[in-house]
Amino acid sequence: MNVSQSAAGAATGGPGRAPADQVAVRRANLVRVLGVVRSAGPLSRAAAARHAGLTRATVSSLVAELIGRGLLRETGFQQDGTVGRPGRRLEIDGRAVSALGLEVNSRYLAAWSTDLAGRTRHERRVVHDATREGAERTIRALAGIAAELLGEARAAGVRTAGIGVAVPGPVDTDGGTVRAAPNLGWRDVPAARLLRELLGLPDGTTVAVDNEANLAALAECGRAGAGAADLVYVTGEEGIGAGIVVNGGLLRGAGGFSGELGHLQVDPAGGTCACGRTGCLETKVGLTAAIRTAAPDLAAGGAASRDPRELAGELLRRATEGDPRALAGLDEIGRWLGIGLAVPVNLLNPEVIVLGGYFAAVAPYLLPAAMRELRERAVAGDAAVSRVTGSALGFSAAVRGAAGVIVEEVFADPTRPMPAVTGDG
């Protein structure tokens, strides 16, 4: 019995029930077939039917609808078994549907758009001092970048399914409001509403705002080969945050504000953090602290106005060339990082910890000291020490995760309306 038959029987309870039950069953089957092709494709219709547990006739009808929606396409031929004619191969299309991710960082703004198959369509990154410019001007600048990419998509005949936004701080995800972003100086900023107004977005368009570490963690989990259902992603930028994935889903906490690893006190006699507290981990291992510790001449030379990616490259260059100050500084940062990582290791016991941002660039020079410190502090001993690795996505993890949220919405409901997001407001 296929999903359509079993679910319809349970839902209708006999003739005369509203057709809404049939609509729900068909939607569920569309999700199922689309998911099969996404995970196992390219494959023939017959193979898709077997994977989905549906009849060939049902799958043929569902495939026709998914092709009509621009979500699947048939390409080439695939022999299904040893006899009979080869079938056309099904694969994710999505060339006519895109998702847009945006990111606000204290030092830059970024945008990345993708089609449903994960191919990059457009990418933008501009140096921007969000702390100095303030919330309104920063979001206006972000909207300008978004409008440019939305216009390019529209000109190419591509529908944008929605917009995801990554910000460095706790977010009320239901309303899209940034509750607190210490390194930006923002508090209670209605980012989703402001973007809607500036872009003139139609009703029903998703604008999903979330914490950058959460979105980066999702991007890492979705990356081919990541394979970890229990993961902690640690940002390595001006601010330090953690995105926590447990059993494949984000651990948000009761109010959605979990993961503020950078604001745990590690040195009561330390410096003052942007949050107003003393001795936070961020004051020891944030990018500003890294420059001050490992490359103090850069700190005196206007590093605050440079792209973090450029600064990370400079730190790596110096370490690779054997610069004594860089090597000693990165070793010291690694020690403090290990102290900080001991908290999620002892509390959550994740399978893997992924280091993002500048941490990823200089991971070979941070990890030896970090792992020594972590092993000393792991209460359950070496058996409890997580695998720690640098992110392959680097500084793009959060913006890719933001776009990924929109992609997942499409796969979760292929029948969802997709208003013409143009950015003409």
Side-chain angles (χ1 to χ4, degrees):
M1 180 181 293
N2 62 41
V3 172
S4 179
Q5 294 167 334
S6 62
T12 59
R17 284 291 298 270
D21 291 330
Q22 298 174 15
V23 171
V25 169
R26 185 170 181 83
R27 184 189 303 117
N29 284 336
L30 287 167
V31 171
R32 189 163 188 165
V33 170
L34 191 61
V36 162
V37 177
R38 187 188 191 189
S39 61
L43 73 176
S44 67
R45 293 191 185 204
R50 287 197 304 273
H51 280 280
L54 301 169
T55 66
R56 291 195 183 191
T58 299
V59 166
S60 183
S61 172
L62 296 168
V63 164
E65 181 174 343
L66 290 168
I67 290 174
R69 291 179 178 274
L71 304 179
L72 289 184
R73 64 173 175 169
E74 290 182 310
T75 176
F77 290 88
Q78 177 173 311
Q79 183 67 50
D80 189 34
T82 58
V83 297
R85 294 186 305 168
R88 296 289 299 274
R89 290 181 302 177
L90 292 170
E91 62 181 34
I92 297 297
D93 187 357
R95 292 170 297 176
V97 180
S98 71
L100 177 59
L102 304 174
E103 180 184 1
V104 178
N105 190 274
S106 62
R107 302 187 187 204
Y108 64 85
L109 302 177
W112 185 75
S113 65
T114 177
D115 67 14
L116 296 188
R119 296 174 289 245
T120 299
R121 290 193 53 83
H122 300 101
E123 193 166 6
R124 298 285 187 279
R125 184 183 176 93
V126 298
V127 174
H128 178 92
D129 189 338
T131 306
R132 184 185 65 189
E133 295 294 328
E136 184 175 346
R137 292 175 67 177
T138 293
I139 292 178
R140 190 173 295 276
L142 190 68
I145 298 171
E148 179 184 350
L149 268 61
L150 291 171
E152 291 179 9
R154 183 178 69 256
V158 175
R159 294 172 293 161
T160 302
I163 299 173
V165 187
V167 295
V171 176
D172 172 7
T173 54
D174 290 338
T177 297
V178 182
R179 288 302 181 201
N183 288 307
L184 302 183
W186 292 12
R187 183 169 291 278
D188 294 328
V189 175
R193 178 176 64 78
L194 291 172
L195 277 172
R196 285 182 182 280
E197 293 172 355
L198 290 167
L199 293 170
L201 299 179
D203 292 341
T205 304
T206 297
V207 178
V209 183
D210 205 340
N211 174 267
E212 61 170 349
N214 285 342
L215 295 173
L218 292 176
E220 285 292 340
C221 282
R223 184 170 57 88
D230 296 280
L231 172 150
V232 173
Y233 178 94
V234 181
T235 59
E237 305 209 19
E238 184 69 19
I240 305 299
I244 304 167
V245 176
V246 177
N247 292 329
L250 281 174
L251 180 66
R252 293 185 175 277
F257 307 137
S258 67
E260 291 301 315
L261 181 66
H263 298 292
L264 292 176
Q265 188 184 68
V266 294
D267 182 7
T272 302
C273 182
C275 72
R277 296 171 179 85
T278 300
C280 293
L281 179 63
E282 195 168 286
T283 67
K284 300 295 187 180
V285 303
L287 184 55
T288 294
I291 296 300
R292 184 177 64 246
T293 304
D297 59 302
L298 289 180
S305 63
R306 295 172 64 178
D307 189 321
R309 190 163 52 183
E310 179 185 348
L311 294 172
E314 178 62 17
L315 285 174
L316 177 60
R317 183 190 68 79
R318 294 184 182 201
T320 302
E321 293 178 355
D323 180 280
R325 183 60 185 261
L327 291 172
L330 291 173
D331 189 74
E332 176 69 2
I333 293 163
R335 186 178 74 83
W336 284 109
L337 181 61
I339 292 172
L341 295 183
V343 175
V345 164
N346 285 325
L347 191 63
L348 302 170
N349 186 215
E351 179 182 348
V352 61
I353 296 176
V354 180
L355 303 178
Y358 92 88
F359 291 152
V362 295
Y365 302 96
L366 294 176
L367 284 177
M371 296 308 296
R372 284 196 302 270
E373 197 70 40
L374 184 54
R375 289 190 179 96
E376 288 182 6
R377 293 171 179 270
V379 175
D382 284 353
V385 175
S386 306
R387 177 167 60 93
V388 183
T389 183
S391 168
L393 301 176
F395 285 98
S396 72
V399 74
R400 287 172 179 262
V405 167
I406 304 302
V407 170
E408 294 304 322
E409 282 194 357
V410 176
F411 280 106
D413 183 6
T415 66
R416 69 193 291 273
M418 282 190 234
V421 181
T422 65
D424 287 337

